Amino acid sequence: MGYTLDKIAKELGLSKTTVSRAISGKGRISEETRAKVNAFIKEINYRPSAVARSLAASRTFNVGLVFPADSALGEMPYFQTLMTGVCDRAMEYEYDVLIILADNDGISALKHAVRNKKIDAVMVSRCEQDSKVINFLKEASIPYIVVGDPMEPGVPFIDHDNEGAATRMIETLIDKGITRMALIGGGENINVTHSRLAGFRQGFINRGMKADENQIYLNMHKSDRMDKVLKTAIAEGAECIVCMDDMLCNSVLNCLHNDGLSVPEDIKLCSFYDSNLLSTSKPSITSLYFDAKKLGAEGLSMLMRNLDGEDVTNLTLSDFNIQMRDSTN
């Protein structure tokens, strides 16, 4: 009977990656496992095909995880949690993760890693519009996957249902009698901003209403306008401040506190993303919970299938929870 790497892996109860590492002599596996594989292939007189030998010899067993170089965004708990999911799942495939900083302000580190064959595949943690990262990867002949909807055909991606979740949150707030809302959003160059904005508007439409476009404030990350914007929003009748993520929500909380305003007595507050950044806030914040660790793990699995030559189907995770808490009561 003819043996392939897959068959050998199944016979020994090991992963295909482990068998490949044992045969090539490269990569980190125990000497006991290496000896076990080599003894078995000697017993069955296994001779790797030219393609298999080439594959085993050329793999680095490293995957690149691209984070935005922006330091403030890099500190977001979302990216940290996503990375945990990626690294945990990569260990199961016996792969190591190389962190690469790259975004529309510069992709030299990514180019270096790809062109010098430091990595076998790439996961991009954030989608920017007209992304230099994605445009480079499309031409680089390296397996890759994007976390977030790239909003263009032909780019493999995995994402949470940000639009659907935001829509459901707004519907829930309206059902509670909260109808006058201001939206504090992130950069217009980031695709998730547009997904959450679309959900914000759709929630009103689904309840036979229309969002107040004058109460939508974008590009508020690292903004020194926050205090002024909040005062304007409240003066124009907002009864609830809706934030696109936990960092923005934390900034809003600080500004409101400095202005002597209490949540929810003076103004209600909610966030389209929940993390441990908000877990100790007083009051506790109404928010959307997404499993960023699961997103990272599932994305890594898709990337590994892509690396093995499988056609992968884009995946949108719809499991989110609305955490109704003190800040909207």
Side-chain angles (χ1 to χ4, degrees), residues 243-257:
C243 303
M244 282 198 180
D245 63 51
D246 51 352
M247 283 193 69
L248 285 169
C249 191
N250 195 54
S251 295
V252 168
L253 271 173
N254 289 335
C255 283
L256 293 175
H257 176 75

Side-chain angles (χ1 to χ4, degrees), residues 1-4 6-8 10-11 40 44-46:
M1 139 175 147
Y3 274 89
T4 64
D6 280 329
K7 287 183 179 179
I8 294 171
K10 288 177 182 177
E11 288 274 355
F40 183 75
I44 64 174
N45 197 29
Y46 172 73

Side-chain angles (χ1 to χ4, degrees), residues 254-304:
N254 289 335
C255 283
L256 293 175
H257 176 75
N258 291 339
D259 290 339
L261 296 175
S262 298
V263 177
E265 291 81 7
D266 298 315
I267 185 76
K268 301 181 188 303
L269 183 64
C270 76
S271 174
F272 282 161
Y273 183 73
D274 180 57
S275 77
N276 56 14
L277 189 65
L278 299 179
S279 64
T280 58
S281 65
K282 301 293 182 184
S284 55
I285 304 299
T286 290
S287 56
L288 287 168
Y289 173 77
F290 298 98
D291 192 340
K293 183 177 179 180
K294 177 180 178 181
L295 186 70
E298 293 295 329
L300 194 282
S301 291
M302 287 179 64
L303 185 62
M304 290 294 101

Side-chain angles (χ1 to χ4, degrees), residues 84-298:
T84 299
V86 171
C87 292
D88 285 353
R89 186 59 56 85
M91 286 181 63
E92 296 177 18
Y93 287 91
E94 298 183 346
Y95 258 72
D96 295 319
V97 178
L98 178 66
I99 303 299
I100 300 170
L101 300 181
D103 52 28
N104 276 1
D105 290 330
I107 61 171
S108 58
L110 176 62
K111 286 182 176 179
H112 176 81
V114 172
R115 290 173 177 171
N116 288 281
K117 301 187 185 302
K118 301 290 186 182
I119 51 179
D120 296 330
V122 180
M123 178 183 288
V124 182
S125 68
R126 187 187 74 182
C127 276
E128 292 182 278
Q129 298 201 328
D130 192 24
S131 170
K132 292 180 180 178
V133 170
I134 295 174
N135 289 339
F136 168 73
L137 291 173
K138 286 193 290 188
E139 303 296 328
S141 299
I142 186 171
Y144 72 96
I145 190 172
V146 177
V147 179
D149 188 347
M151 299 181 179
E152 62 175 293
V155 176
F157 74 90
I158 183 170
D159 196 14
H160 286 129
D161 184 12
N162 284 285
E163 181 175 342
T167 298
R168 188 71 193 103
M169 171 67 88
I170 297 307
E171 292 173 344
T172 301
L173 293 176
I174 292 174
D175 292 345
K176 285 171 60 69
I178 302 170
T179 59
R180 299 190 307 277
M181 305 179 210
L183 179 67
I184 304 295
E188 290 182 271
N189 64 312
I190 303 172
N191 286 8
V192 71
T193 297
H194 295 273
S195 296
R196 291 174 178 170
L197 175 58
F200 178 80
R201 289 170 171 153
Q202 191 62 46
F204 281 93
I205 292 172
N206 289 355
R207 290 297 184 264
M209 305 172 69
K210 191 170 188 256
D212 185 349
E213 296 294 320
N214 293 324
Q215 290 277 54
I216 295 174
Y217 306 93
L218 302 182
N219 301 307
M220 294 300 294
H221 280 102
K222 288 188 170 180
S223 174
D224 56 4
R225 299 183 297 125
M226 184 67 81
D227 188 61
K228 181 179 179 181
V229 162
L230 290 175
K231 287 177 179 176
T232 299
I234 293 170
E236 293 184 0
E239 58 185 328
C240 182
I241 305 297
V242 179
C243 303
M244 282 198 180
D245 63 51
D246 51 352
M247 283 193 69
L248 285 169
C249 191
N250 195 54
S251 295
V252 168
L253 271 173
N254 289 335
C255 283
L256 293 175
H257 176 75
N258 291 339
D259 290 339
L261 296 175
S262 298
V263 177
E265 291 81 7
D266 298 315
I267 185 76
K268 301 181 188 303
L269 183 64
C270 76
S271 174
F272 282 161
Y273 183 73
D274 180 57
S275 77
N276 56 14
L277 189 65
L278 299 179
S279 64
T280 58
S281 65
K282 301 293 182 184
S284 55
I285 304 299
T286 290
S287 56
L288 287 168
Y289 173 77
F290 298 98
D291 192 340
K293 183 177 179 180
K294 177 180 178 181
L295 186 70
E298 293 295 329

